[in-house]
Amino acid sequence: MDYDQYKRASKLPDVKTTIFTIVGNLARKHASLDLSQGFPNFKTDEKLMSLVSDALINGHNQYAPMQGYFGLREIISEKIASLRQRTYSPADEVTITVGATQAIFTAITAFINKGDEVIIIKPAYDCYEPAITLNGGIPVYIQLDAPDYKIDWSAFENKITDKTKMVILNTPHNPTGTVLTKSDMEELERILKPTNIILLSDEVYEQYHF
């Protein structure tokens, strides 16, 4: 089987190289500051390296429980309680993944079946659509337009049908940088509250300060 045959046999024949790979390669080519990805461009803290080394020396190098190391889940639960004044049980309401993309893929896979519609705010992080498509779902788009990149909540509400299973949202929005306001959140609550639609909130930038 040649490359074209493999491509046609793929479940995602039209998926191309991600924009993050393209921008990252351009940044390296031109020795530019790369803001497209979240990896740090500075040396790892000496204390962190020491703690990691100590953990390995002391035998903490085995498989963690499926939900993630309990001590880390406890810390995350405490952090949410401190920041959001909401309490989540580390035993059965917090799960650790190897990264945000795996968490997003897993959440979509757990809930989306063939024919389910998922509303996406465009432009969007490019892992959303492939995960939806792989699971037989149908991406439904809300486009953000320059210069303010605000959500048109009337257009959003009009996109909801009896097939809408999930809405994917992130704020600050990737890649436009739009930060949803309290009014935006209230509109979202008003629209979704009477439904059983799942809100997948991708909050990878929530601790950024603007």
Side-chain angles (χ1 to χ4, degrees):
M1 186 181 288
D2 61 24
Y3 173 77
D4 287 337
Q5 288 176 308
Y6 276 118
K7 185 175 179 182
R8 287 193 296 272
S10 168
K11 292 180 181 179
L12 297 171
D14 298 320
V15 171
K16 299 178 175 60
T17 302
T18 74
I19 189 62
F20 298 99
T21 299
I22 294 169
V23 172
N25 288 339
L26 285 170
R28 284 186 288 276
K29 178 180 178 181
H30 298 285
S32 302
L33 181 63
D34 183 4
L35 299 179
S36 70
Q37 292 179 284
F39 53 80
N41 61 349
F42 48 82
K43 185 180 178 182
T44 304
D45 185 271
E46 295 287 346
K47 183 177 181 180
L48 177 59
M49 289 194 290
S50 175
L51 290 169
V52 170
S53 297
D54 289 345
L56 291 173
I57 291 168
N58 289 301
H60 298 287
N61 61 341
Q62 299 300 318
Y63 285 118
M66 187 175 291
Q67 306 97 314
Y69 176 60
F70 187 75
L72 179 56
R73 285 184 278 149
E74 284 184 308
I75 294 297
I76 290 172
S77 178
E78 292 169 6
K79 177 186 176 184
I80 294 171
S82 174
L83 290 175
R84 305 295 180 213
Q85 291 74 54
R86 295 294 298 271
T87 302
Y88 293 93
S89 166
D92 51 24
E93 292 184 305
V94 179
T95 301
I96 309 299
T97 68
V98 297
T101 301
Q102 186 211 337
I104 292 164
F105 181 85
T106 302
I108 291 170
T109 300
F111 290 104
I112 299 306
N113 297 297
K114 185 175 182 180
D116 289 339
E117 295 180 353
V118 182
I119 294 178
I120 301 174
I121 310 300
K122 294 282 284 183
Y125 180 36
D126 50 14
C127 85
Y128 299 163
E129 293 168 60
I132 294 165
T133 303
L134 276 174
N135 288 285
I138 302 168
V140 176
Y141 306 113
I142 298 293
Q143 182 67 43
L144 301 184
D145 295 318
D148 56 3
Y149 298 104
K150 299 296 184 184
I151 296 175
D152 180 336
W153 290 108
S154 294
F156 180 97
E157 192 166 12
N158 288 336
K159 293 287 187 178
I160 291 179
T161 72
D162 58 0
K163 293 182 179 180
T164 306
K165 184 72 169 289
M166 179 181 286
V167 171
I168 303 179
L169 193 74
N170 71 312
T171 179
H173 181 259
N174 178 12
T176 68
T178 289
V179 179
L180 298 188
T181 64
K182 181 180 179 181
S183 175
D184 286 320
M185 293 301 191
E186 289 172 344
E187 278 295 287
L188 179 65
E189 179 184 26
R190 179 188 65 79
I191 294 168
L192 296 188
K193 192 171 183 178
T195 75
N196 290 317
I197 295 169
I198 298 161
L199 176 63
L200 175 52
S201 184
D202 175 7
E203 299 182 16
V204 67
Y205 298 122
E206 70 168 324
Q207 297 301 310
Y208 277 30
H209 292 266
F210 291 85

